[in-house]
Short mmCIF file of all heavy atoms in Angstrom, two decimals:
data_model
loop_
_atom_site.label_atom_id
_atom_site.label_comp_id
_atom_site.label_asym_id
_atom_site.label_seq_id
_atom_site.Cartn_x
_atom_site.Cartn_y
_atom_site.Cartn_z
N VAL A 970 93.33 98.18 114.36
CA VAL A 970 93.23 97.68 112.98
C VAL A 970 92.70 96.25 112.94
O VAL A 970 91.75 95.96 112.20
CB VAL A 970 94.59 97.80 112.25
CG1 VAL A 970 94.52 97.14 110.88
CG2 VAL A 970 94.98 99.27 112.11
N PRO A 971 93.28 95.30 113.71
CA PRO A 971 92.68 93.96 113.71
C PRO A 971 91.23 93.96 114.18
O PRO A 971 90.42 93.16 113.69
CB PRO A 971 93.58 93.17 114.67
CG PRO A 971 94.88 93.87 114.64
CD PRO A 971 94.52 95.32 114.48
N CYS A 972 90.90 94.84 115.12
CA CYS A 972 89.51 94.92 115.58
C CYS A 972 88.60 95.40 114.45
O CYS A 972 87.47 94.91 114.29
CB CYS A 972 89.41 95.87 116.78
SG CYS A 972 90.18 95.22 118.26
N LEU A 973 89.10 96.36 113.67
CA LEU A 973 88.33 96.82 112.52
C LEU A 973 88.13 95.70 111.51
O LEU A 973 87.05 95.53 110.94
CB LEU A 973 89.04 98.01 111.85
CG LEU A 973 88.38 98.58 110.59
CD1 LEU A 973 86.99 99.11 110.92
CD2 LEU A 973 89.25 99.68 109.98
N PHE A 974 89.17 94.90 111.30
CA PHE A 974 89.06 93.76 110.40
C PHE A 974 88.03 92.75 110.92
O PHE A 974 87.29 92.14 110.14
CB PHE A 974 90.42 93.07 110.23
CG PHE A 974 91.39 93.86 109.39
CD1 PHE A 974 92.74 93.57 109.41
CD2 PHE A 974 90.95 94.89 108.58
CE1 PHE A 974 93.64 94.29 108.63
CE2 PHE A 974 91.83 95.62 107.80
CZ PHE A 974 93.18 95.32 107.83
N ALA A 975 88.01 92.57 112.24
CA ALA A 975 87.04 91.63 112.82
C ALA A 975 85.62 92.12 112.59
O ALA A 975 84.73 91.33 112.24
CB ALA A 975 87.31 91.48 114.32
N VAL A 976 85.39 93.43 112.74
CA VAL A 976 84.07 93.99 112.49
C VAL A 976 83.70 93.84 111.02
O VAL A 976 82.57 93.49 110.67
CB VAL A 976 84.02 95.47 112.92
CG1 VAL A 976 82.70 96.11 112.51
CG2 VAL A 976 84.20 95.58 114.43
N SER A 977 84.69 94.11 110.14
CA SER A 977 84.42 94.00 108.70
C SER A 977 84.13 92.55 108.31
O SER A 977 83.33 92.29 107.42
CB SER A 977 85.60 94.54 107.89
OG SER A 977 86.74 93.70 108.03
N LEU A 978 84.77 91.60 109.00
CA LEU A 978 84.49 90.19 108.74
C LEU A 978 83.02 89.87 109.02
O LEU A 978 82.34 89.24 108.20
CB LEU A 978 85.39 89.32 109.61
CG LEU A 978 85.05 87.82 109.64
CD1 LEU A 978 85.20 87.20 108.26
CD2 LEU A 978 85.91 87.10 110.67
N LEU A 979 82.53 90.34 110.15
CA LEU A 979 81.13 90.10 110.49
C LEU A 979 80.20 90.78 109.49
O LEU A 979 79.17 90.22 109.08
CB LEU A 979 80.85 90.60 111.90
CG LEU A 979 81.62 89.89 113.02
CD1 LEU A 979 81.33 90.56 114.36
CD2 LEU A 979 81.28 88.41 113.07
N PHE A 980 80.58 92.00 109.08
CA PHE A 980 79.76 92.75 108.12
C PHE A 980 79.66 92.01 106.79
O PHE A 980 78.57 91.80 106.25
CB PHE A 980 80.32 94.15 107.91
CG PHE A 980 79.67 94.90 106.80
CD1 PHE A 980 78.42 95.48 106.96
CD2 PHE A 980 80.29 95.04 105.56
CE1 PHE A 980 77.79 96.16 105.93
CE2 PHE A 980 79.70 95.73 104.53
CZ PHE A 980 78.44 96.30 104.72
N PHE A 981 80.81 91.58 106.27
CA PHE A 981 80.80 90.94 104.96
C PHE A 981 80.23 89.52 105.01
O PHE A 981 79.77 89.00 103.99
CB PHE A 981 82.19 90.95 104.35
CG PHE A 981 82.57 92.30 103.79
CD1 PHE A 981 83.56 93.06 104.39
CD2 PHE A 981 81.93 92.80 102.68
CE1 PHE A 981 83.90 94.31 103.90
CE2 PHE A 981 82.25 94.04 102.16
CZ PHE A 981 83.24 94.80 102.78
N MET A 982 80.27 88.90 106.17
CA MET A 982 79.57 87.63 106.31
C MET A 982 78.07 87.85 106.11
O MET A 982 77.39 87.06 105.44
CB MET A 982 79.83 87.02 107.69
CG MET A 982 81.20 86.38 107.82
SD MET A 982 81.50 85.74 109.49
CE MET A 982 80.25 84.45 109.57
N GLY A 983 77.56 88.95 106.69
CA GLY A 983 76.15 89.28 106.48
C GLY A 983 75.85 89.61 105.04
O GLY A 983 74.82 89.18 104.49
N VAL A 984 76.75 90.36 104.40
CA VAL A 984 76.56 90.71 102.99
C VAL A 984 76.55 89.46 102.13
O VAL A 984 75.71 89.30 101.23
CB VAL A 984 77.66 91.68 102.52
CG1 VAL A 984 77.60 91.88 101.01
CG2 VAL A 984 77.54 93.03 103.23
N GLU A 985 77.49 88.55 102.40
CA GLU A 985 77.60 87.35 101.58
C GLU A 985 76.35 86.48 101.65
O GLU A 985 75.96 85.86 100.65
CB GLU A 985 78.82 86.54 102.03
CG GLU A 985 79.09 85.31 101.18
CD GLU A 985 80.38 84.61 101.54
OE1 GLU A 985 81.09 85.10 102.44
OE2 GLU A 985 80.66 83.56 100.94
N TYR A 986 75.72 86.44 102.81
CA TYR A 986 74.55 85.59 102.97
C TYR A 986 73.25 86.26 102.51
O TYR A 986 72.23 85.60 102.38
CB TYR A 986 74.41 85.15 104.43
CG TYR A 986 75.28 83.97 104.78
CD1 TYR A 986 76.56 84.17 105.30
CD2 TYR A 986 74.85 82.68 104.55
CE1 TYR A 986 77.37 83.09 105.62
CE2 TYR A 986 75.66 81.59 104.85
CZ TYR A 986 76.91 81.80 105.39
OH TYR A 986 77.71 80.73 105.68
N THR A 987 73.28 87.56 102.29
CA THR A 987 72.05 88.27 101.91
C THR A 987 72.09 88.86 100.51
O THR A 987 71.05 89.21 99.95
CB THR A 987 71.76 89.40 102.92
OG1 THR A 987 72.88 90.30 102.96
CG2 THR A 987 71.53 88.84 104.31
N LEU A 988 73.29 89.00 99.93
CA LEU A 988 73.41 89.62 98.62
C LEU A 988 72.91 88.69 97.52
O LEU A 988 73.26 87.50 97.48
CB LEU A 988 74.88 89.98 98.35
CG LEU A 988 75.19 90.65 97.00
CD1 LEU A 988 74.55 92.03 96.95
CD2 LEU A 988 76.70 90.73 96.79
N ARG A 989 72.10 89.22 96.65
CA ARG A 989 71.64 88.45 95.49
C ARG A 989 72.66 88.62 94.37
O ARG A 989 72.85 89.72 93.84
CB ARG A 989 70.26 88.92 95.04
CG ARG A 989 69.15 88.66 96.06
CD ARG A 989 67.80 89.04 95.49
NE ARG A 989 67.49 88.25 94.29
CZ ARG A 989 66.40 88.44 93.54
NH1 ARG A 989 65.53 89.41 93.86
NH2 ARG A 989 66.19 87.69 92.48
N MET A 990 73.31 87.54 93.99
CA MET A 990 74.33 87.61 92.95
C MET A 990 73.68 87.89 91.60
O MET A 990 72.51 87.56 91.37
CB MET A 990 75.10 86.29 92.90
CG MET A 990 75.78 85.93 94.21
SD MET A 990 77.00 87.16 94.72
CE MET A 990 78.28 86.88 93.50
N ILE A 991 74.47 88.49 90.72
CA ILE A 991 73.95 88.80 89.38
C ILE A 991 73.75 87.50 88.60
O ILE A 991 74.49 86.53 88.80
CB ILE A 991 74.92 89.73 88.62
CG1 ILE A 991 76.30 89.08 88.48
CG2 ILE A 991 75.03 91.07 89.31
CD1 ILE A 991 77.23 89.86 87.60
N PRO A 992 72.78 87.44 87.73
CA PRO A 992 72.53 86.21 86.96
C PRO A 992 73.65 85.94 85.98
O PRO A 992 74.38 86.85 85.56
CB PRO A 992 71.21 86.51 86.25
CG PRO A 992 71.12 88.00 86.20
CD PRO A 992 71.78 88.50 87.44
N SER A 993 73.78 84.70 85.59
CA SER A 993 74.85 84.30 84.68
C SER A 993 74.71 84.93 83.30
O SER A 993 75.69 85.03 82.55
CB SER A 993 74.86 82.77 84.53
OG SER A 993 73.61 82.30 84.06
N SER A 994 73.51 85.38 82.96
CA SER A 994 73.30 86.00 81.66
C SER A 994 73.72 87.46 81.62
O SER A 994 73.75 88.07 80.56
CB SER A 994 71.82 85.89 81.28
OG SER A 994 71.00 86.52 82.27
N SER A 995 74.05 88.03 82.78
CA SER A 995 74.43 89.43 82.86
C SER A 995 75.95 89.57 82.86
O SER A 995 76.67 88.65 83.26
CB SER A 995 73.86 90.07 84.13
OG SER A 995 72.45 90.00 84.14
N PRO A 996 76.45 90.73 82.41
CA PRO A 996 77.89 90.95 82.50
C PRO A 996 78.32 91.08 83.95
O PRO A 996 77.50 91.39 84.82
CB PRO A 996 78.08 92.27 81.73
CG PRO A 996 76.76 92.96 81.83
CD PRO A 996 75.74 91.86 81.80
N PRO A 997 79.59 90.83 84.26
CA PRO A 997 80.06 90.93 85.64
C PRO A 997 79.85 92.33 86.21
O PRO A 997 79.95 93.33 85.49
CB PRO A 997 81.55 90.59 85.54
CG PRO A 997 81.69 89.85 84.25
CD PRO A 997 80.66 90.41 83.34
N PHE A 998 79.54 92.39 87.50
CA PHE A 998 79.45 93.68 88.18
C PHE A 998 80.83 94.03 88.71
O PHE A 998 81.50 93.20 89.34
CB PHE A 998 78.46 93.62 89.34
CG PHE A 998 78.51 94.83 90.22
CD1 PHE A 998 77.88 96.01 89.86
CD2 PHE A 998 79.20 94.81 91.43
CE1 PHE A 998 77.94 97.14 90.67
CE2 PHE A 998 79.27 95.92 92.24
CZ PHE A 998 78.63 97.09 91.86
N ASP A 999 81.27 95.25 88.46
CA ASP A 999 82.58 95.70 88.92
C ASP A 999 82.45 97.11 89.45
O ASP A 999 82.10 98.04 88.71
CB ASP A 999 83.60 95.66 87.77
CG ASP A 999 85.03 95.83 88.26
OD1 ASP A 999 85.34 96.91 88.80
OD2 ASP A 999 85.83 94.89 88.11
N ILE A 1000 82.74 97.30 90.72
CA ILE A 1000 82.57 98.61 91.34
C ILE A 1000 83.54 99.64 90.76
O ILE A 1000 83.25 100.83 90.71
CB ILE A 1000 82.74 98.51 92.87
CG1 ILE A 1000 82.23 99.78 93.55
CG2 ILE A 1000 84.18 98.21 93.25
CD1 ILE A 1000 82.14 99.68 95.05
N GLY A 1001 84.71 99.16 90.29
CA GLY A 1001 85.66 100.07 89.65
C GLY A 1001 85.12 100.61 88.34
O GLY A 1001 85.37 101.77 87.98
N PHE A 1002 84.37 99.79 87.62
CA PHE A 1002 83.74 100.25 86.38
C PHE A 1002 82.69 101.31 86.68
O PHE A 1002 82.53 102.28 85.94
CB PHE A 1002 83.10 99.07 85.64
CG PHE A 1002 84.08 98.09 85.05
CD1 PHE A 1002 85.46 98.23 85.26
CD2 PHE A 1002 83.64 97.03 84.28
CE1 PHE A 1002 86.35 97.32 84.72
CE2 PHE A 1002 84.52 96.12 83.73
CZ PHE A 1002 85.89 96.27 83.95
N VAL A 1003 81.95 101.11 87.77
CA VAL A 1003 80.93 102.09 88.15
C VAL A 1003 81.60 103.43 88.51
O VAL A 1003 81.13 104.49 88.10
CB VAL A 1003 80.10 101.57 89.34
CG1 VAL A 1003 79.13 102.63 89.83
CG2 VAL A 1003 79.37 100.29 88.96
N ALA A 1004 82.70 103.36 89.24
CA ALA A 1004 83.38 104.58 89.67
C ALA A 1004 84.00 105.35 88.51
O ALA A 1004 84.16 106.57 88.59
CB ALA A 1004 84.45 104.23 90.70
N THR A 1005 84.36 104.66 87.43
CA THR A 1005 85.03 105.31 86.30
C THR A 1005 84.11 105.42 85.09
O THR A 1005 84.61 105.59 83.95
CB THR A 1005 86.30 104.53 85.91
OG1 THR A 1005 85.95 103.17 85.61
CG2 THR A 1005 87.32 104.55 87.04
N ALA A 1006 82.81 105.36 85.30
CA ALA A 1006 81.87 105.42 84.18
C ALA A 1006 82.02 106.71 83.39
O ALA A 1006 81.95 106.72 82.16
CB ALA A 1006 80.44 105.27 84.70
N GLY A 1007 82.22 107.83 84.10
CA GLY A 1007 82.37 109.11 83.42
C GLY A 1007 83.61 109.15 82.54
O GLY A 1007 83.55 109.61 81.38
#
Side-chain angles (χ1 to χ4, degrees):
V970 174
C972 290
L973 178 62
F974 287 163
V976 173
S977 68
L978 169 63
L979 297 176
F980 171 77
F981 283 111
M982 284 178 64
V984 171
E985 184 174 358
Y986 278 93
T987 58
L988 180 67
R989 295 186 61 184
M990 301 299 289
I991 59 173
S993 57
S994 58
S995 299
F998 169 79
D999 192 297
I1000 194 170
F1002 290 4
V1003 176
T1005 57

